[in-house]
Amino acid sequence: MGKLPKWLLGVAAAVYLFLHAPLLVLVAFSFNDSKFSAGWEGFTLRWYERLLERDDLVHSLWVSVEVGVISTLISTLLGTMLALGIARHRFSGRTFLESLLYVPIVTPEIVVGISLLILFVFLKMTLGIGTIVIAHVAFNISFVTVVVRSRLEGMDRNLEEAALILGADEFTTFWKVTVPQLWPGILSGALLAFTMSFDDYVITSLVTGPGSSTLPIVVYSMVRKNVEPSINAISTIILVVTAALIWASDRLSQDKPLTPH
Amino acid sequence: MNPRLWWLRWSSRRPGARAWSLMGPGTAWIVAFFMVPLLFMLAYSFMPKGLYGGVESGFTFEHYVRLFDPLYIKIGVRTLVYSLGCTAICLVFGYPVAYVISRAGEWRNLLVFLVILPFWTSFLVRTFAMIFLMRDTGLINTVLLATGLRTEPLEMMNTPFAVMTGLVYGFLPFMVLPIYSSLEKLDPSLLEAAEVLGARPAARFVRVVLPLSMPGVVAGSLLVFIPALGSYLTSDLLGGAKEMMIGNLVQNQFMVANNWPFGSAASFTVMAMVLAAVFVSLRVRDEPAGEAR
């Protein structure tokens, strides 16, 4: 790095500071013993204790986990199947299907949310956990497909061919050879899907119904009402959980596919 | 007969059948809950407004005509200006970061991870972090007041400054990563050749590095511009009613004003702008790439 001009390093350092300092400050002040969170008054855990007293927050956490788990399972299954179909088969309409898959990635969340709201109201569906899950799966499938497909394309197909030559049928080859090699890609896609589901506010807020507020919806209303440093505390918890999920997903995607050396 | 065997035999005679049995369910979900809703939205945008929300049957252009009202033109122009401005700022600051990472040797992975981390961190939490810094009782103002630099709080919330800062803070990682990946692929021997042939550092950058990193610049700009165009939370929380963007107009028409067809027309306008941006960037990407070789 020695050859780079000083001003360039300065700019880069400033950008990293800009990206990370606000979150570090947020975390630090979740332990601040002052209701008007701006000056440092000493260390406390009372804002975390305060969180446990809020039934709506605890309830919304369970809703988020429920929605996250169900939508992740469905989108991972469907996304993985899509990836296998696209990467392993020749068929007509392939280019069309690929562009179809990119539409959910570029469509603004607000557009996704209101168009689903129109559909659900038209079909007279009750807005609630069911509609939130449908919406989350709809935007997650494409992302899972992209992640799994890139893993598939980096995989060594010789192992599968060897299994077939040695007499395993296609089902056995798939479950005993393909899936174990693909597993890190599937897990990594699933973790990303869960993170996106767990974080989503915009789409969820449009298709949610009474009694099915997810965590981001309750946090949003806390931010709106500006209630005390409890927001810092819940933000810290969300940050720690997502950082852990992303770290795990990052490790899995760096993990090389099993290949003979 | 063993169903497995039956399936293998049956599907081996129909090459498309196997592919579509894998892709069918996922494709169906995307069509039913992504494409069909978009078509519904498009249809709603041409229908008269119903008395109690929703729409009535009929066909009208009135909602699109209404978008040309100066009030909405202003929101549209603001959205475009903020999105372009955000893209430009992200490019100016993101490029140097990508360049430093690409030359950082063993620190590369850590630096990339530090860019990815906020990228996947809750957008809501990150926006709150901006509020926590910028509000009247926030950290910046507390420091300014305590040090006597100012006697009253500096008003930052609900200003263009707050929205722009929030947008840049939200989308900067989208700019850094694609530029980094195109710089990473750059062959160092090209730079050596330029140096041997007498090009000064500035000339080496402008004539070798920059043209070769154009695909990353285009991809990064697109990845910032698209979500900025459709952004909702940033302008909602940091800008308030004064700094409305199209996303907020759409939400407002659906959840507050109860004018669904007009909201659909506004929403379809954002979608059209996004698709136009994708189309333009695909054209741009295909042109200078040929020139650089």
Side-chain angles (χ1 to χ4, degrees):
Chain A
M1 255 203 277
K3 271 162 60 180
L4 292 169
K6 282 224 170 63
W7 66 267
L8 200 57
L9 293 175
V11 171
V15 169
Y16 275 100
L17 194 68
F18 173 65
L19 283 179
H20 293 278
L23 292 176
L24 293 176
V25 167
L26 194 73
V27 171
F29 277 83
S30 73
F31 301 107
N32 184 24
D33 198 0
S34 155
K35 186 150 181 150
F36 307 101
S37 50
W40 185 261
E41 305 281 337
F43 183 87
T44 181
L45 286 176
R46 73 179 150 120
W47 307 118
Y48 290 87
E49 287 161 17
R50 192 69 63 89
L51 292 178
L52 293 173
E53 293 160 14
R54 293 194 51 155
D55 291 338
D56 59 335
L57 201 66
V58 177
H59 179 257
S60 72
L61 176 68
W62 290 118
V63 174
S64 275
V65 170
E66 189 180 341
V67 166
V69 169
I70 300 174
S71 69
T72 301
L73 288 175
I74 301 175
S75 56
T76 307
L77 179 68
L78 299 186
T80 305
M81 284 163 66
L82 257 171
L84 280 164
I86 294 177
R88 291 295 167 83
H89 294 275
R90 306 278 145 246
F91 55 93
S92 51
R94 189 192 169 94
T95 330
F96 177 74
L97 184 67
E98 282 183 35
S99 28
L100 191 77
L101 279 174
Y102 279 100
V103 175
I105 295 176
V106 298
T107 308
E109 285 186 295
I110 188 87
V111 177
V112 181
I114 64 114
S115 62
L116 275 167
L117 177 64
I118 291 175
L119 181 81
F120 293 148
V121 170
F122 181 82
L123 295 176
K124 300 197 168 59
M125 288 171 73
T126 314
L127 298 178
I129 290 183
T131 50
I132 302 175
V133 168
I134 290 177
H136 286 197
V137 173
F139 69 73
N140 270 335
I141 290 179
S142 296
F143 288 94
V144 173
T145 307
V146 169
V147 172
V148 175
R149 192 181 161 190
S150 74
R151 174 93 188 177
L152 262 173
E153 279 165 2
M155 248 166 61
D156 185 356
R157 295 205 66 175
N158 288 335
L159 287 178
E160 289 166 47
E161 278 166 29
L164 289 170
I165 291 168
L166 292 172
D169 68 23
E170 285 176 70
F171 282 98
T172 316
T173 308
F174 178 74
W175 289 110
K176 295 265 165 83
V177 181
T178 313
V179 169
Q181 284 191 93
L182 198 54
W183 200 234
I186 298 173
L187 268 183
S188 161
L191 283 171
L192 294 185
F194 185 81
T195 313
M196 286 195 287
S197 165
F198 197 73
D199 271 352
D200 181 72
Y201 168 75
V202 178
I203 296 171
T204 310
S205 72
L206 291 162
V207 298
T208 186
S212 57
S213 292
T214 58
L215 185 60
I217 288 176
V218 175
V219 173
Y220 175 88
S221 67
M222 286 168 83
V223 172
R224 273 263 157 224
K225 284 186 222 134
N226 240 336
V227 277
E228 52 188 50
S230 307
I231 317 174
N232 294 49
I234 186 70
S235 298
T236 302
I237 295 173
I238 295 175
L239 285 177
V240 170
V241 172
T242 37
L245 287 174
I246 290 316
W247 181 78
S249 161
D250 194 55
R251 291 310 300 261
L252 288 169
S253 61
Q254 276 173 14
D255 191 18
K256 294 277 174 294
L258 291 165
T259 43
H261 291 286
Chain B
M1 189 185 194
N2 182 334
R4 277 183 173 192
L5 205 60
W6 176 84
W7 165 249
L8 289 175
R9 275 203 199 147
W10 184 81
S11 62
S12 62
R13 275 179 279 129
R14 292 165 185 78
R18 227 180 254 200
W20 282 107
S21 65
L22 281 170
M23 300 181 300
T27 311
W29 199 293
I30 292 179
V31 168
F33 299 117
F34 218 103
M35 301 303 156
V36 169
L38 288 179
L39 290 176
F40 265 85
M41 186 187 86
L42 183 62
Y44 267 43
S45 72
F46 289 108
M47 289 162 86
K49 175 184 181 297
L51 265 182
Y52 310 100
V55 288
E56 279 170 7
S57 55
F59 182 87
T60 175
F61 279 112
E62 65 177 298
H63 310 297
Y64 287 96
V65 173
R66 193 170 162 215
L67 282 173
F68 287 93
D69 183 295
L71 175 69
Y72 303 124
I73 290 282
K74 202 174 157 195
I75 293 176
V77 170
R78 181 187 294 132
T79 305
L80 266 180
V81 169
Y82 283 6
S83 309
L84 288 171
C86 168
T87 310
I89 295 172
C90 286
L91 184 58
V92 167
F93 288 98
Y95 200 103
V97 174
Y99 189 78
V100 169
I101 301 176
S102 74
R103 305 282 297 272
E106 74 219 64
W107 293 91
R108 261 187 202 193
N109 284 344
L110 177 68
L111 290 177
V112 169
F113 181 71
L114 284 176
V115 174
I116 294 177
L117 192 59
F119 173 81
W120 285 110
T121 303
S122 164
F123 200 82
L124 187 58
V125 168
R126 301 182 66 212
T127 309
F128 175 65
M130 289 284 110
I131 298 176
F132 186 72
L133 290 178
M134 290 196 278
R135 66 186 172 197
D136 286 358
T137 55
L139 191 68
I140 294 176
N141 273 318
T142 307
V143 171
L144 286 177
L145 294 176
T147 52
L149 283 169
R150 280 186 72 96
T151 48
E152 56 198 69
L154 179 66
E155 217 172 279
M156 285 176 283
M157 288 293 289
N158 302 331
T159 61
F161 170 79
V163 179
M164 281 301 277
T165 311
L167 289 175
V168 171
Y169 183 64
F171 303 133
L172 189 60
F174 289 98
M175 183 65 87
V176 177
L177 296 172
I179 298 181
Y180 163 69
S181 72
S182 65
L183 286 172
E184 195 194 18
K185 285 186 217 126
L186 197 144
D187 183 355
S189 61
L190 288 173
L191 286 175
E192 282 166 31
E195 194 174 358
V196 171
L197 293 170
R200 303 172 66 82
R204 292 205 293 271
F205 178 75
V206 173
R207 303 191 57 180
V208 181
V209 179
L210 197 56
L212 287 171
S213 62
M214 273 319 276
V217 170
V218 172
S221 303
L222 189 68
L223 288 178
V224 172
F225 187 67
I226 287 179
L229 268 183
S231 64
Y232 165 76
L233 259 184
T234 313
S235 37
D236 179 50
L237 288 173
L238 295 167
K242 270 198 303 178
E243 299 296 329
M244 232 187 196
M245 292 172 72
I246 299 184
N248 308 90
L249 175 66
V250 173
Q251 191 268 357
N252 187 274
Q253 292 301 317
F254 273 83
M255 305 315 263
V256 185
N258 227 345
N259 190 341
W260 286 29
F262 181 59
S264 300
S267 178
F268 185 70
T269 311
V270 190
M271 193 68 203
M273 284 159 86
V274 166
L275 293 178
V278 173
F279 184 72
V280 168
S281 75
L282 287 177
R283 294 294 294 272
V284 173
R285 190 190 64 185
D286 294 340
E287 277 164 26
E291 208 179 284
R293 272 175 207 135

